[in-house]
Amino acid sequence: MDESLIAKRLEVLRVEHRDLDSAIGALIGSGALDQLQLARFKKRKLRLRDEIAMLEDQLVPDIIA
């Protein structure tokens, strides 16, 4: 993938990550905790974080010190 595609994908993933964070907060704040849904949201959020980190690593060149 070239850098512009990676940057676009990163932006989409970051928005989804923020949205999940808001959804998790709303679910916790509502008082009616659905543990299964909460666990799914958190798991998805972790997968997004890992994918974001992988794509960011592709943008940063390896520098051997």
Side-chain angles (χ1 to χ4, degrees):
M1 268 203 267
D2 75 336
E3 288 186 20
S4 64
L5 290 175
I6 292 173
K8 288 177 186 176
R9 179 72 179 145
L10 272 171
E11 183 58 32
V12 168
L13 292 174
R14 287 180 178 138
V15 167
E16 187 176 349
H17 190 267
R18 279 192 301 268
D19 289 347
L20 273 173
D21 199 32
S22 297
I24 289 169
L27 189 62
I28 291 172
S30 71
L33 283 179
D34 180 356
Q35 293 296 327
L36 184 59
Q37 186 67 34
L38 185 62
R40 286 180 181 152
F41 282 169
K42 287 183 176 183
K43 192 172 187 177
R44 174 70 181 146
K45 189 175 167 190
L46 288 173
R47 276 185 274 170
L48 287 171
R49 186 192 67 192
D50 291 343
E51 189 174 349
I52 289 169
M54 181 193 67
L55 289 172
E56 286 174 340
D57 286 345
Q58 289 180 8
L59 288 178
V60 178
D62 291 334
I63 299 174
I64 300 174

